[in-house]
Amino acid sequence: MMHRLLDRQLQKATDKTGSLDLNVLLDLVSLAYSEYELDSRRLDRATQLMTDELEMANEKLRQSLRDIRENGLRFQATIETLPHGICLYDKDGRILEYNRAYLSFFGMGYEGDSRGLTLVQTLEAAGQRVSASHDRLMLILEYLAIPQTGHNEAEHIWPSGRTVRVSRTGVEGGGYLDVIADITESHLARATIERMANFDSLTGLANRNLFQKRLADLVARASTKSMAAILCLDLDRFKAVNDLYGHATGDALLAKVARRLVDVLRPGDLAARLGGDEFAVLMEKINLHQDAHRVAKRLVSHLSAPYELDGLEITIGASVGIEFIDNPDAAPIDFMRHADQALYAAKKGGRNDIAVYDAQLHESYLHRQKIEADLRKATAGREFFLVYQPIYCVKSGRVCGYEALLRWQSPARGIVSPADFIPVAEETGIIEEIGAWVIHKACKDSVSLPEDTTIAVNVSPVQFRSRSLVSVVSRALQESGLNPRRLEIEITEGVMIGDTGQALEVLRALKALGVRISLDDFGTGYSSFNYIRAFPFDKIKIDQSFVRDLGQRSECLAIIRAVSGMCSSLGIVSTAEGVETEQQFEILKTEHCDTMQGYLFGRPAALTELNAFETKAVPAKVA
C-alpha cells in the first residue's frame, strides 16, 4: 500500500517535461524512511516474540528433561527395592532398563552400565564368560529360549539350587520385559501344605485322604487278571498303653509301628494311618491270594514283637482284615467297608488274627448292624428288664443274695439272649447307658428285698473304663437309699488288663463308697492270682466251667480246692457258679465253698417271684 502511494506522489511531482521536483523528492525519501522504521520495529517485535516463545519452549523442554530424569531416578530407586529381578529389552535384545537384583540372579555383581548391551555381553563384561560354566551355559540357553512376544512363564532350577520363575511379556513397538522371582520358599510351602494334606504328621505314612485317592485309582484299574488288596489293621491292647503310660508314649509307639509296617511291605505298596491305632495297606499287582496272606502274617508277627520305649518293654498285637480288589465296577467305599468287616471278624476271633472278607461275613455284619439299631431303640424305649438269680449260703442253709441279670424284651425279636446283644453293646459304647440303668434299677429293686440279702451287679469292662462308674454307683445308692454293704460290683479280670493302676484306683474308690467287689469268672485268665494279690476282693466266683466238669476231670477239683483254700486263708468269700446237680453241691460243700449259685437253687426270676426262694431255695435233699 505504501509503495502505491509513493508511485502516485512520484507521478504528481513530475512535470509535463518529465522533470522531478526536488522538494517532492525529499518528501518521498522521508516517507520511505518512515515506512522502513515502521517495518523494522515490526520485525523487532516479531523477532522478540519468537525469541520469547523459543525460550519458553526450551524451558519447558528442560523441565521435561528434569522431570524425566527425576522420574527415571524414582523408577530406578523403586525397582532397586524390589526382590524380583526386572529388565526391559529392546527388539534386538539389548538392555534398556534393569535393576541389580536382575543381574544377581545370574551370579553377577557387575558395577558397570549394562544399558545397550545384551545379557551375554553383560556377562562377558563382568568377566563371567558363558562358556566358562556348563551350568550357566545351559541356564542362559533355557532362559533365552522363552518366547519374546505375548506373556510367557517358565520355571528353572538355578545353579544355586534355588527355584526361580521367569515371566516374559512383550511390549508395544518390540522388545520385552522380564521379571525373575525366587519362588523356592513358596515351592517349599506348597510342598509342605501338600504333605500335610496327604500324609500323617506323626508317622509319616499316607493319611486317609491320600489312601482314598489311591484306592479309587486302584479300583479303576482293577481286573481279574491284575488283582490288588486292602489290608485293614488295628492294634490290640494299644488303648491300655495310652492309659497306662500316657499319650506321648502311645505316639512314640505308633511311630515305631509305622516303621515296622513299612519294612514289611513290598516296593510300591502304600501304607496309611487312618486315625488312632487304625492302619491300612494297599497292595498292588498281586498274583495270588496267598500274596496278601503272606504279607498279613508278616505284619502280625512283626507288629506283635516287643517294643523298647524309654526303658520300657511294651508288647501289643495286631489284627488284619483282607479284601481283594478285582472288580472295577464296584465302589471304593464298598471295598473299604468289606476290609473293615473282615478286620472286625479277625478281632472277634481273638488277638493277632487274620480274616478275609466273604459273603458270610457280610451277612454277620448286617446282622450286627441291625442289632445295633434295635439296641439303640431299646435303650430309648426302655425295653430292658432285670431278673434275679439266688445265691445260696452253705453255712446258713438259705438264700443270702441275688445276682441281677439283664434281659431284652424286643418287640420284633422277643426275649434276646445277653450273649447276642452284650458284645454289640460293648463295641458300640451303648453298654455305658445300659449299665448305668442296670445299677440304678438293681439298687431300687433291692430295697424291697430282705435287708440281710445282697445284690450283685455285673459291670462290663467297657463301662468300667468309662471312668464314670464311681459316680453312677454313688448316685444309685443315694437315690435308692440302699445300704452300700448290700451292693456287690462284679468285675472280670478284663478290667485289669491294660491300665492296672487306673483299674485299682477305680476299685478303691468303689470300696470307699462301702460296696463289695467280686472277681467273676475266676480261673479263666492267666493273671488272676496276680490281681488277688494287688487288690483285696470281697468275693471270688469260681467259673462254672470248673463246676460243670466236677467228677469228670480231676484238675477241676484240684483248682476248686486250691481257690477255696486260698479264699479261706485270705478271708475272701468263695462262690461256685453253675451248680446244677446234688453231686456238684456235695463236692463243693466238702471243699468248703462258702456260697453257690445255679439252677439247683433256682432259675433267674422277676422281682415279684423272689419271695418263693425264701422257702424253697434248695431241694429238700440238699437242705
Side-chain angles (χ1 to χ4, degrees):
M1 179 178 177
M2 179 61 69
H3 294 295
R4 288 196 296 272
L5 179 60
L6 289 174
D7 287 341
R8 286 196 297 271
Q9 291 295 333
L10 184 60
Q11 290 175 1
K12 288 181 181 181
T14 305
D15 60 12
K16 295 180 180 180
T17 62
S19 299
L20 181 63
D21 188 335
L22 181 59
N23 291 328
V24 173
L25 181 59
L26 290 173
D27 289 338
L28 288 174
V29 171
S30 177
L31 181 61
Y33 182 75
S34 297
E35 178 64 18
Y36 168 77
E37 285 186 339
L38 180 59
D39 288 343
S40 178
R41 285 193 297 272
R42 289 174 177 169
L43 180 60
D44 289 342
R45 285 197 297 273
T47 301
Q48 185 62 45
L49 287 173
M50 292 178 62
T51 301
D52 292 344
E53 290 177 357
L54 181 59
E55 181 60 29
M56 290 177 62
N58 287 337
E59 180 58 31
K60 289 181 178 179
L61 179 59
R62 288 192 293 271
Q63 184 60 45
S64 296
L65 290 174
R66 286 194 297 270
D67 291 343
I68 290 173
R69 186 161 51 251
E70 291 177 2
N71 289 336
L73 292 174
R74 283 196 292 269
F75 171 75
Q76 190 65 35
T78 299
I79 64 174
E80 288 295 346
T81 63
L82 298 176
H84 304 330
I86 298 176
C87 188
L88 177 64
Y89 290 90
D90 65 14
K91 60 185 180 61
D92 297 320
R94 297 185 180 278
I95 297 174
L96 297 175
E97 292 292 344
Y98 65 98
N99 62 359
R100 283 190 293 272
Y102 181 81
L103 297 182
S104 69
F105 273 95
F106 297 91
M108 288 187 291
Y110 184 51
E111 298 298 333
D113 191 350
S114 296
R115 294 174 181 83
L117 303 178
T118 64
L119 178 59
V120 175
Q121 289 172 338
T122 301
L123 289 171
E124 292 176 343
Q128 302 181 29
R129 292 188 176 275
V130 175
S131 59
S133 169
H134 179 267
D135 288 340
R136 193 175 299 283
L137 172 62
M138 298 306 297
L139 173 64
I140 296 299
L141 290 177
E142 291 180 4
Y143 175 79
L144 295 178
I146 302 174
Q148 299 177 5
T149 58
H151 181 77
N152 302 279
E153 288 189 350
E155 292 186 4
H156 299 285
I157 302 297
W158 237 237
S160 63
R162 309 289 288 179
T163 303
V164 302
R165 177 185 292 124
V166 179
S167 300
R168 178 169 290 176
T169 306
V171 297
E172 187 177 353
Y176 50 94
L177 176 68
D178 279 356
V179 177
I180 304 181
D182 186 335
I183 59 172
T184 305
E185 299 305 325
S186 63
H187 262 235
L188 293 175
R190 188 165 57 201
T192 300
I193 293 172
E194 182 177 352
R195 182 164 188 82
M196 291 173 63
N198 292 291
F199 292 88
D200 176 56
S201 60
L202 176 62
T203 63
L205 301 180
N207 62 12
R208 184 181 294 272
N209 180 54
L210 180 57
F211 181 84
Q212 290 175 338
K213 290 178 183 177
R214 288 283 298 274
L215 174 61
D217 179 64
L218 199 58
V219 171
R221 294 186 283 110
S223 69
T224 54
K225 296 182 179 180
S226 178
M227 283 192 305
I230 302 177
L231 277 60
C232 280
L233 297 86
D234 188 79
L235 303 182
D236 299 321
R237 300 186 297 275
F238 175 75
K239 185 179 184 302
V241 174
N242 260 347
D243 292 342
L244 184 58
Y245 303 112
H247 289 283
T249 300
D251 288 347
L253 178 60
L254 289 175
K256 284 183 173 287
V257 167
R259 287 194 288 273
R260 289 190 184 183
L261 197 157
V262 172
D263 290 341
V264 170
L265 301 184
R266 312 168 306 168
D269 292 344
L270 178 71
R273 181 190 178 205
L274 304 183
D277 61 337
E278 299 177 26
F279 296 84
V281 172
L282 281 180
M283 296 183 61
E284 297 193 41
K285 298 179 181 178
I286 58 174
N287 298 318
L288 301 171
H289 287 180
Q290 286 80 355
D291 295 340
H293 281 274
R294 192 178 301 111
V295 171
K297 289 178 180 178
R298 290 185 63 198
L299 285 172
V300 170
S301 174
H302 280 63
L303 299 183
S304 301
Y307 296 82
E308 292 290 337
L309 287 171
D310 296 329
L312 299 171
E313 182 177 288
I314 297 176
T315 302
I316 57 173
S319 300
V320 182
I322 304 174
E323 165 64 328
F324 294 98
I325 303 172
D326 54 9
N327 181 8
D329 297 325
I333 192 173
D334 291 334
F335 287 112
M336 194 66 200
R337 186 183 301 114
H338 294 167
D340 277 334
Q341 293 171 16
L343 175 61
Y344 170 75
K347 292 179 71 68
K348 188 176 181 181
R351 296 169 181 169
N352 297 352
D353 202 0
I354 299 169
V356 180
Y357 173 80
D358 57 25
Q360 186 176 357
L361 278 183
H362 184 61
E363 291 300 322
S364 299
Y365 175 77
L366 293 179
H367 176 69
R368 175 182 172 277
Q369 291 292 95
K370 186 63 170 62
I371 290 181
E372 179 182 343
D374 290 347
L375 261 179
R376 296 189 184 280
K377 294 178 183 178
T379 303
R382 297 303 183 192
E383 297 174 7
F384 300 105
F385 65 95
L386 296 182
V387 292
Y388 297 89
Q389 186 172 32
I391 300 173
Y392 176 76
C393 176
V394 176
K395 184 177 182 179
S396 66
R398 59 186 300 277
V399 170
C400 58
Y402 300 90
E403 180 178 359
L405 301 172
L406 179 65
R407 297 291 184 265
W408 176 16
Q409 176 70 56
S410 170
R413 302 170 182 271
I415 301 294
V416 184
S417 169
D420 291 333
F421 71 85
I422 291 296
V424 178
E426 289 181 326
E427 292 163 10
T428 58
I430 302 175
I431 192 65
E432 292 185 33
E433 184 176 354
I434 296 175
W437 177 84
V438 170
I439 292 173
H440 278 79
K441 177 64 174 172
C443 288
K444 182 179 179 181
D445 287 351
S446 298
V447 175
S448 62
L449 296 174
E451 292 186 1
D452 58 349
T453 58
T454 60
I455 186 72
V457 179
N458 290 282
V459 173
S460 160
V462 176
Q463 182 186 7
F464 188 89
R465 294 192 189 100
S466 70
R467 302 187 181 183
S468 63
L469 178 61
V470 176
S471 61
V472 168
V473 172
S474 177
R475 278 199 310 273
L477 291 172
Q478 292 175 3
E479 293 174 5
S480 65
L482 182 70
N483 186 333
R485 296 296 299 170
R486 295 182 59 192
L487 177 62
E488 291 181 358
I489 297 296
E490 291 190 3
I491 65 168
T492 63
E493 69 176 77
V495 306
M496 307 289 283
I497 297 175
D499 191 347
T500 305
Q502 178 63 35
L504 292 175
E505 183 180 332
V506 173
L507 291 175
R508 293 187 185 103
L510 290 172
K511 287 278 281 188
L513 294 177
V515 303
R516 298 172 181 268
I517 307 295
S518 297
L519 182 59
D520 199 7
D521 299 336
F522 186 81
T524 58
Y526 64 89
S527 299
S528 299
F529 288 97
N530 289 334
Y531 298 144
I532 293 174
R533 185 175 59 182
F535 184 80
F537 289 95
D538 297 289
K539 178 186 288 188
I540 289 178
K541 302 185 75 171
I542 304 170
D543 189 70
Q544 60 182 334
S545 61
F546 302 111
V547 175
R548 186 187 307 117
D549 293 336
L550 273 178
Q552 302 175 21
R553 297 170 54 194
S554 59
E555 63 268 23
C556 292
L557 177 60
I559 291 173
I560 291 174
R561 181 174 296 161
V563 173
S564 179
M566 177 191 66
C567 288
S568 297
S569 299
L570 298 175
I572 301 175
V573 175
S574 59
T575 298
E577 297 182 285
V579 181
E580 297 182 355
T581 67
E582 296 179 13
Q583 180 188 12
Q584 292 170 343
F585 173 80
E586 292 298 336
I587 295 174
L588 292 168
K589 183 177 180 181
T590 302
E591 298 301 330
H592 305 289
C593 191
D594 298 314
T595 58
M596 302 181 201
Q597 182 178 349
Y599 288 170
L600 182 65
F601 311 103
R603 292 177 177 272
L607 179 66
T608 55
E609 303 173 14
L610 293 186
N611 289 335
F613 291 128
E614 295 301 313
T615 57
K616 57 175 185 177
V618 188
K621 291 182 180 179
V622 174

